[in-house]
Amino acid sequence: PRGSIIRTSCPCSTRADPTDPNLLYNVACTYAVIGGRVPDALDALEQEVSRGWGDKGWIEHDSDLDSLRLEPRYLALLQSM
């Protein structure tokens, strides 16, 4: 299920609180920057937005998320905010 990828791929990052939206945002940024982890980045980003962190302007302009900009899931997430 979605969410398990975050706990298994970044266990040290989410051990403190796997539902913390700020932590999930940072996990999304990390996955987006390291390359090859776009689906994981989008999973984390969707989770953090669903848990209340929804600064659309920040998400739209954070250069860490540049690799996601043309992804349909990213665009759908922005539209849902």
Side-chain angles (χ1 to χ4, degrees), residues 9-75:
S9 299
C10 285
C12 295
S13 297
T14 58
R15 197 170 294 141
D17 183 358
T19 63
D20 178 355
N22 292 314
L23 185 61
L24 289 165
Y25 184 80
N26 289 321
V27 169
C29 288
T30 300
Y31 282 147
V33 168
I34 63 175
R37 302 296 297 266
V38 168
D40 297 330
L42 289 165
D43 285 347
L45 195 60
E46 289 166 344
Q47 287 180 55
E48 66 90 15
V49 169
S50 75
R51 287 181 169 83
W53 197 95
D55 189 336
K56 184 177 180 179
W58 189 269
I59 292 170
E60 288 177 313
H61 300 296
D62 187 340
S63 62
D64 287 347
L65 301 176
D66 284 349
S67 66
L68 309 180
R69 303 277 182 236
L70 300 178
E71 294 293 323
R73 282 174 60 194
Y74 172 84
L75 297 171

